[in-house]
Amino acid sequence: MTTPSTAYPDGPQGTYAHRPMAWGTRGMVGGGTQLTAQSGMHILWQGGNAVDAAVAAALAAGVMEPSAHYSLGGEVAFLFYDREQGQVRSVVGQGWAARAATAERYLETWGEIPAGVLSTTVPGVISALLTMLSHYGTMSFSQVAASALGFARDGFPTYRLLHRTIGSPDRLSNLQRYPDSARVYLPNGQPLPLGSLFVQRELASTLSLMVEAERQALQAGQGREDAIQAARDVFYKGDVARRMVKALEDLGGLYTYEDFAEYESPLETPISTTYRGYEIFTNRTWTQGICLLQTLNILEGYDLGALGHNSPEAVHLQVEALKLAFADREKYVGDPDHWDVPVKALLSKDYAALRRGLLDPQQAPAAYSPGAPDQMRAVAEGYQPAQTAPIPEFVGGDADGTTYLATVDAQGNMVSATPSSFAGLSQGMILGDTGILLNHRGCYFWLDPDNANVIAPRKRPRTTPCTFIVLKDGQPFMTLGTPGGDSQPQSCLQVFNNMVDFGFNVQDAVEAPRFCGYSFPRSPWPHREYPNRLEVEGRVSQGLLDALRDLGHQIESVGPWGVRNGFAPILVNPETGVYHGGADPRKESVMLGW
């Protein structure tokens, strides 16, 4: 491993880590805020398992983290390591488009995917959380929802990121546009003062209706799983659903009641690859998680550790391998229920070797063509990239988008989850008197019929939130995930490589300087791309920046902590079984151990 720059002093916890690692043997919870993490830990103290704790934390975050563009009108990538069965479980947590949403209709009527109600999807997070709770949890909905309900009904202190986010010009302007949103987020016409209580009584009412439906089902003699289903039905089939659909109709949306009532979050088999003795799992291709798996397959052919951490050679290889994976993302990756995604071929080690052969260690091309995995060809024959919109100026990443949480219990069950509600505050709206802030993930769709991610009725957009669970020799090793839109696979790669290839501890791995590239169409409409654009945090040496420029990268230094992800990974020591976790100082991430 290379010696870090002397311009960045050692922290008290390690070379990079200025925050302490968290430790535990009986449980651990990481979340986007202190109260989010404590909501999960409270469930572990009550005897719940990792799924119970994760669902509680995710529900609480849906009340407290609109600053992360996450609400209970959003979506979630959710993985669970089932210790008893030795298997990783997955659920589909992305909502779908209305049955009336077709590419032809959008092209003929609007010529684009407009911001606002026409770029929304049916909320998926409630369905996914309750599916996992029903199948793999041990507690009732009322137990795991208690913290969220309390925070909505009684309020929670307005923390710095929430205060800043609501008061930012784009969010403020959007909230003022919708009276229902302004009533909730701008009491007295202004953002809440720092430290004041943020109360959401209408959201509390929605959660209370779900709790009451579960209670009535249990009183009627129904079992735990049926009672949880009764709580879910309030949201998707009951009065709450009808009020949400009415609000959407009034705003000009395309939804019908059936779009909500028929929505499901099925269980699925996750996909995975191996890397130097580790097995990395992620959800299927309704997320972009496969990009990390493909990138690792490509990088497995290099000895990154010998090149040195954040050396020009190592960074260049990481960036270029990611570009190759993202090129395939745009050609092949979409909702597997609507698009024939060649997952097995994309994750083939032989295919990775073919793609690796395109990587020039001495030069960064502006772009790569996708490959042809089914034909085992490195480059797809005759591929013509879609035209993207003109680029008047660079627009950076979604700095406040998404959140992340992780849990592990005393038995070794483990959850990794990435909840989100894209552009909730900057484009979204509260739906009537339900308190539900709706996502705008539908702007991730394309209108090109040849694109795997083209909009279609009841189709799920390929979402950027992705989450990972890593096993080593068949045993749980770590959770992995972060906020950050298109940067998520990039930053997850760096944190993972930092530990596996460069020997960092988990907190060092999280705090080490990062990069983020933009040499591919960005997920949100209008899908702009910025060839060879590479943001690098300024805690690296000038020599690294100069060397990367010489290789053809268009470098922009973004300050010491400018790639603003929010990691909270949990790692298991395979020899002792001790849990240790890290928390990202770029956000308000918190890790608690017990």
Side-chain angles (χ1 to χ4, degrees):
M1 185 174 71
T2 56
T3 302
S5 167
T6 55
Y8 186 71
D10 281 4
Q13 304 298 322
T15 301
Y16 292 103
H18 286 235
R19 278 189 175 187
M21 277 191 289
W23 302 88
T25 58
R26 299 178 63 186
M28 187 163 279
V29 180
T33 72
Q34 166 202 342
L35 293 177
T36 301
Q38 287 177 334
S39 298
M41 185 58 77
H42 183 62
I43 291 296
L44 292 183
W45 285 337
Q46 290 180 319
N49 70 9
V51 171
D52 298 320
V55 173
L59 291 171
V63 174
M64 295 188 297
E65 297 190 41
S67 54
H69 289 319
Y70 169 51
S71 70
L72 298 182
E75 56 276 333
V76 64
F78 192 112
L79 292 176
F80 163 53
Y81 174 72
D82 183 341
R83 182 72 184 197
E84 182 177 354
Q85 298 297 320
Q87 293 183 339
V88 178
R89 315 287 189 178
S90 177
V91 65
V92 178
Q94 174 58 56
W96 61 25
R99 188 181 294 279
T102 66
E104 294 78 13
R105 183 170 188 173
Y106 273 75
L107 285 168
E108 291 173 4
T109 308
W110 302 286
E112 63 174 350
I113 298 179
V117 69
L118 293 165
S119 66
T120 60
T121 65
V122 170
V125 64
I126 291 289
S127 179
L129 293 179
L130 269 60
T131 295
M132 296 303 286
L133 179 67
S134 173
H135 282 81
Y136 302 115
T138 66
M139 289 184 162
S140 66
F141 174 75
S142 63
Q143 287 175 297
V144 299
S147 291
L149 178 56
F151 291 134
R153 181 190 60 229
D154 304 325
F156 62 90
T158 302
Y159 52 91
R160 181 183 177 191
L161 180 58
L162 178 60
H163 173 75
R164 176 176 64 80
T165 302
I166 292 177
S168 64
D170 61 333
R171 276 78 163 185
L172 191 60
S173 174
N174 182 67
L175 293 172
Q176 291 168 338
R177 185 176 297 121
Y178 300 104
D180 292 322
S181 299
R183 185 178 67 255
V184 173
Y185 290 105
L186 303 173
N188 302 317
Q190 298 294 327
L192 287 161
L194 188 66
S196 62
L197 287 179
F198 180 23
V199 177
Q200 300 168 81
R201 292 187 179 88
E202 292 170 347
L203 182 56
S205 176
T206 291
L207 291 169
S208 294
L209 288 172
M210 296 173 69
V211 168
E212 177 61 17
E214 180 188 53
R215 186 189 68 80
Q216 291 182 7
L218 291 171
Q219 283 189 339
Q222 296 185 40
R224 172 181 166 275
E225 292 183 10
D226 288 340
I228 292 172
Q229 181 68 32
R232 181 196 181 279
D233 285 350
V234 168
F235 191 91
Y236 291 96
K237 298 181 180 181
D239 180 60
V240 172
R242 297 184 187 280
R243 284 185 281 138
M244 287 194 289
V245 171
K246 177 62 166 60
L248 288 164
E249 289 174 344
D250 292 344
L251 291 166
L254 303 179
Y255 297 100
T256 65
Y257 169 75
E258 288 72 23
D259 289 321
F260 278 66
E262 295 171 9
Y263 178 78
E264 294 181 348
S265 289
L267 298 172
E268 63 174 12
T269 301
I271 59 176
S272 66
T273 194
T274 58
Y275 180 85
R276 309 196 202 286
Y278 297 84
E279 189 171 12
I280 305 93
F281 291 84
T282 192
N283 306 94
R284 294 177 67 200
T285 56
W286 54 272
T287 80
Q288 63 170 341
I290 192 172
C291 293
L292 175 61
L293 307 190
Q294 284 191 261
T295 303
L296 289 170
N297 282 345
I298 294 169
L299 289 174
E300 197 171 29
Y302 302 98
D303 187 351
L304 291 183
L307 296 175
H309 177 255
N310 277 353
S311 67
E313 297 83 2
V315 173
H316 176 72
L317 290 176
Q318 289 171 301
V319 171
E320 297 305 296
L322 284 161
K323 286 162 64 175
L324 285 163
F326 277 113
D328 277 348
R329 183 189 79 167
E330 295 309 310
K331 175 70 174 175
Y332 298 109
V333 180
D335 182 351
D337 291 336
H338 286 254
W339 198 267
D340 186 14
V341 184
V343 172
K344 184 176 180 180
L346 286 168
L347 294 179
S348 160
K349 299 291 188 179
D350 290 339
Y351 179 66
L354 291 172
R355 296 291 278 169
R356 188 184 306 126
L358 301 176
L359 200 160
D360 185 346
Q362 304 302 320
Q363 183 64 39
Y368 292 98
S369 295
D374 281 343
Q375 290 79 42
M376 279 295 148
R377 294 204 305 264
V379 176
E381 185 176 353
Y383 175 75
Q384 295 294 326
Q387 296 297 313
T388 56
I391 306 173
E393 61 183 11
F394 175 73
V395 180
D398 180 17
D400 295 327
T402 313
T403 189
Y404 177 75
L405 61 94
T407 65
V408 64
D409 60 29
Q411 289 70 45
N413 299 300
M414 179 180 282
V415 169
S416 179
T418 309
S420 188
S421 300
F422 179 75
L425 292 177
S426 59
Q427 293 186 43
M429 67 290 293
I430 294 282
L431 295 181
D433 61 356
T434 65
I436 298 296
L437 177 69
L438 194 60
N439 73 86
H440 277 67
R441 192 65 63 184
C443 77
Y444 277 33
F445 282 122
W446 288 68
L447 299 181
D448 175 4
D450 295 325
N451 190 287
N453 202 27
V454 63
I455 194 170
R458 301 287 175 88
K459 185 177 181 180
R460 294 174 169 88
R462 183 195 64 230
T463 193
T464 48
C466 48
T467 203
F468 306 92
I469 283 180
V470 183
L471 307 184
K472 183 179 182 183
D473 300 323
Q475 300 300 312
F477 176 68
M478 71 175 297
T479 68
L480 188 62
T482 179
D486 290 309
S487 76
Q488 290 182 39
Q490 303 184 62
S491 292
C492 284
L493 174 74
Q494 293 165 73
V495 170
F496 181 74
N497 285 152
N498 287 348
M499 286 187 282
V500 170
D501 291 289
F502 302 115
F504 285 19
N505 68 50
V506 65
Q507 187 65 42
D508 266 354
V510 164
E511 293 199 32
R514 292 189 200 136
F515 60 78
C516 180
Y518 295 87
S519 294
F520 49 84
R522 292 184 62 201
S523 288
W525 187 272
H527 308 299
R528 292 180 176 137
E529 58 185 299
Y530 304 86
N532 276 344
R533 172 83 182 200
L534 186 66
E535 293 184 342
V536 183
E537 290 185 335
R539 289 174 288 138
V540 301
S541 69
Q542 185 63 43
L544 171 61
L545 301 180
D546 291 342
L548 291 173
R549 288 191 180 99
D550 290 342
L551 290 168
H553 301 281
Q554 304 298 311
I555 300 297
E556 178 71 19
S557 181
V558 292
W561 305 94
V563 181
R564 297 191 61 244
N565 307 113
F567 281 89
I570 297 171
L571 189 144
V572 182
N573 185 311
E575 296 179 359
T576 65
V578 170
Y579 306 144
H580 39 126
D584 204 323
R586 297 166 180 84
K587 290 286 182 72
E588 299 197 10
S589 304
V590 170
M591 180 63 71
L592 302 176
W594 180 34

